[in-house]
Amino acid sequence: MKLQRKSMLRASALGALVVSGALVLTACGSDDNSKTGDGTTKPSAAAGDIKCDGAKGKLLASGSSAQKNAVDLWVKNYMAACSGVEVNYKSSSSGEGIVAFNQGTVGFAGSDSALKPEQVEESKKICTGGQGIDLPMVGGPIALGFNIAGVDKLNLDAPTIANIFNDKIKKWDDEAIKKLNPGVTLPSTAIQHFHRSEDSGTTENLGKYLKATAGDAWPHEAAKKWPAPGGLGASGSSGVATQVKQVDGSIGYFELSYATSQNIKTVDLNTGAAAPVKATGENASKAIAAAKIAGTGSDLALKLDYTTKAEGAYPIVLVTYEVVCDKGNKPETLPTVKSFLNYTASDAGQKILLENGYAPIPAEINAKVREVVNSLG
C-alpha cells in the first residue's frame, strides 16, 4: 500500500489523528515473523498490556465481515493473556450482526453503519434499562476493484460508477469511461458488476457516497440491501472480491484489504480534486478527519462528508462500529465485553493494526470511545 509522498499533506492529515480502537479489514500479506522455533504462533507483545479485569467464560459476537481479520488478531492476543476466556466472533454481515444483537444472542455486534432509530428502539427489549449504542473503531476505504484484461489503471467519477452499477453503461469502452481515461486502451468487453447479496453496511456506505455525489445517475436511497438493477450478488466482501478476481470484465466493491490480499487492481477516484485519488488508508484518513459526532449521549455515531474535494482525500469510506448496550448488558458477559473492547480501543491494540494502513479515528473521538466502554453497565 503506497502512501502518498507529499509530506506536508501527510503531516496535516495525520498529525491530528491518533490510533483508535480499530476494525481493520484484513492482513496485508506480509511476511509472518510471529512464528516460534517449533512453528507455533507466539502472542504479540501487545498481549502483555491486556487487562482481563474479571473476564471469564465465553463471549459471542457477530456481524461485519470487514472486521473479521482484525478480530481474529485481537482474539488471539486476548485469549493468550486471559486464560479461561473464549471470544467467538462470527463473520457474517452488519445486518445479520444487528439482528443477532437485538435478539440477545451476542454480547456485541460489528456494523459498518450506525443503528437506525427503529433498531435502537428494538434494542431496548434486550438492553434492560438502556439501549444499543454505536462505538466507532476505525475507518477504512471502500475500494472499487476491477479485472479488465490489459488494463492496469482505471479512473472513474461518481456518475460513471453509478451508471455502471445501474446497468446503464455496459461495455468498458463506453465513451464516458474513455473520456476519464485518455491514453488507455479499453476493450469492448462486457461489464459484469458484482454487489453484496446480503444486507451490508459496506453497501450502505457506497450508497451514501453515490447519493451525495452522483446526482440523478443514482436515484436510490442508501440502504444495506443492494438497490440497483442487474449485476450479480456474492456473499460477503470476500465473496465479491473472489468473483472480481476470477471474472474478466468485472468490477465490485469491498474493503481495500480484500483487494490488497488478492492483488486486485482498484479504481482511482475522480473527485474534482486536481488529480484522481487512490484508495489508501492515508487518503481515507484525510476524508474522515472532518467527521463529526452525530449521535447523542453515549452513542458516538459519526457523520462523514462524502462530497469532499480536498486534495488526496478518498471519500468512499466506512467507519465500523461496535454495537453494545449502554446499560442492561448481561452480567455474565459484561466484564469480558468491557475488557475486550478496552483492549481493541487501546494504544496497544491499535499499534498492531496501524501497519495495515487503515484510517484512524480522530483522537478526541477515540478518547470518548474509551470513556463509554468504561461506563458500560
Side-chain angles (χ1 to χ4, degrees), residues 85-106:
V85 181
E86 180 182 351
V87 180
N88 188 328
Y89 182 81
K90 178 184 177 183
S91 171
S92 50
S93 69
S94 299
E96 291 172 271
I98 290 173
V99 168
F101 177 77
N102 279 338
Q103 289 176 341
T105 60
V106 296

Side-chain angles (χ1 to χ4, degrees), residues 70-85:
V71 173
D72 286 349
L73 181 58
W74 285 328
V75 165
K76 180 187 74 172
N77 288 338
Y78 183 79
M79 289 174 58
C82 299
S83 60
V85 181

Side-chain angles (χ1 to χ4, degrees), residues 20-39:
S20 71
L23 301 175
V24 155
L25 316 177
T26 195
C28 288
S30 59
D31 292 337
D32 184 0
N33 297 316
S34 63
K35 299 293 183 183
T36 61
D38 60 3

Side-chain angles (χ1 to χ4, degrees), residues 62-372:
S62 69
S64 167
S65 62
Q67 69 179 26
K68 178 188 184 301
N69 291 294
V71 173
D72 286 349
L73 181 58
W74 285 328
V75 165
K76 180 187 74 172
N77 288 338
Y78 183 79
M79 289 174 58
C82 299
S83 60
V85 181
E86 180 182 351
V87 180
N88 188 328
Y89 182 81
K90 178 184 177 183
S91 171
S92 50
S93 69
S94 299
E96 291 172 271
I98 290 173
V99 168
F101 177 77
N102 279 338
Q103 289 176 341
T105 60
V106 296
F108 69 88
S111 177
D112 303 336
S113 57
L115 292 166
K116 291 183 166 48
E118 61 270 22
Q119 293 170 330
V120 173
E121 193 62 32
E122 187 178 356
S123 74
K124 294 177 180 179
K125 301 174 184 176
I126 298 300
C127 305
T128 306
Q131 65 182 43
I133 57 171
D134 304 288
L135 300 179
M137 291 295 180
V138 82
I142 299 172
L144 294 165
F146 68 93
N147 178 359
I148 311 169
V151 178
D152 294 323
K153 183 178 176 59
L154 184 68
N155 299 328
L156 295 175
D157 60 11
T160 306
I161 294 167
N163 283 325
I164 287 172
F165 282 101
N166 260 332
D167 224 20
K168 292 185 177 180
I169 293 178
K170 298 180 179 294
K171 300 275 189 179
W172 281 114
D173 62 352
D174 187 276
E175 286 301 320
I177 300 176
K178 289 169 67 175
K179 184 176 179 180
L180 293 167
N181 294 273
V184 177
T185 301
L186 293 162
S188 60
T189 307
I191 296 174
Q192 298 197 54
H193 51 93
F194 290 90
H195 56 263
R196 292 283 288 272
S197 58
E198 77 283 17
D199 287 2
S200 162
T202 310
T203 295
E204 185 171 16
N205 280 279
L206 175 63
K208 288 178 180 178
Y209 166 75
L210 292 175
K211 186 68 175 177
T213 58
D216 293 341
W218 192 257
H220 317 288
E221 294 300 322
K224 288 185 172 67
K225 183 178 179 62
W226 181 252
L232 297 169
S235 178
S237 290
S238 60
V240 176
T242 297
Q243 291 299 318
V244 172
K245 177 73 172 179
Q246 294 175 347
V247 178
D248 183 31
S250 61
I251 187 170
Y253 60 92
F254 32 78
E255 294 75 30
L256 176 63
S257 56
Y258 288 93
T260 304
S261 63
Q262 297 194 45
N263 295 315
I264 298 172
K265 301 178 184 70
T266 60
V267 169
D268 292 349
L269 203 61
N270 187 330
T271 64
V277 184
K278 294 184 179 299
T280 69
E282 185 185 29
N283 290 345
S285 290
K286 294 170 185 175
I288 293 173
K292 305 295 183 184
I293 294 177
T296 58
S298 296
D299 188 273
L300 301 179
L302 301 180
K303 181 176 178 59
L304 300 169
D305 179 10
Y306 296 99
T307 64
T308 180
K309 296 180 181 180
E311 296 301 321
Y314 184 87
I316 313 181
V317 294
L318 60 78
V319 170
T320 308
Y321 300 93
E322 299 291 18
V323 177
V324 295
C325 293
D326 58 355
K327 302 296 178 186
N329 289 278
K330 295 179 180 178
E332 62 270 25
T333 57
L334 177 59
T336 308
V337 168
K338 294 177 71 170
S339 171
F340 183 69
L341 294 184
N342 262 318
Y343 167 51
T344 66
S346 70
D347 290 343
Q350 293 313 292
K351 186 175 181 180
I352 60 175
L353 301 176
L354 182 61
E355 296 172 358
N356 290 283
Y358 291 91
I361 297 294
E364 64 275 14
I365 297 174
N366 190 49
K368 292 181 180 180
V369 170
R370 291 194 290 264
E371 290 177 8
V372 172

